[in-house]
Amino acid sequence: MYIQFPKEQKEQIKDRLRQYFLDERGEEMGDLAAENLLSFITKEIGPVYYNQALRDAQKAVDERIANIEEDLLSMKRPIE
């Protein structure tokens, strides 16, 4: 399963792909080619970025939990 973009966003992405190919390669790209490229990127490359984002989020959560644990430990009162 891969992400489904809203129609307007999908058109914007395809426009950017077409502009990139024109600017960088001097090639014009049709709508079908842009659609196919977007589909390929979404299915094949998107998961790599998604998984890295999850790893980054997990690291941030782990760091926050560690800070909370430290804060809680610092609030302990000695028992006599």
Side-chain angles (χ1 to χ4, degrees), residues 43-60:
K43 289 178 184 176
E44 302 295 328
I45 299 170
V48 175
Y49 285 98
Y50 178 82
N51 290 340
Q52 182 62 51
L54 287 178
R55 286 189 294 273
D56 292 347
Q58 183 64 55
K59 182 180 175 186

Side-chain angles (χ1 to χ4, degrees), residues 8-43:
E8 183 178 298
Q9 187 178 26
K10 188 176 190 177
E11 292 303 318
Q12 290 174 344
I13 295 169
K14 290 190 313 185
D15 287 344
R16 293 182 74 182
L17 288 171
R18 283 192 287 268
Q19 190 61 50
Y20 174 82
F21 264 70
L22 185 61
D23 293 346
E24 295 296 320
R25 301 175 55 115
E27 298 175 21
E28 291 200 19
M29 177 183 279
D31 191 62
L32 181 59
E35 180 87 28
N36 289 340
L37 181 58
L38 176 57
S39 179
F40 171 79
I41 291 169
T42 303
K43 289 178 184 176

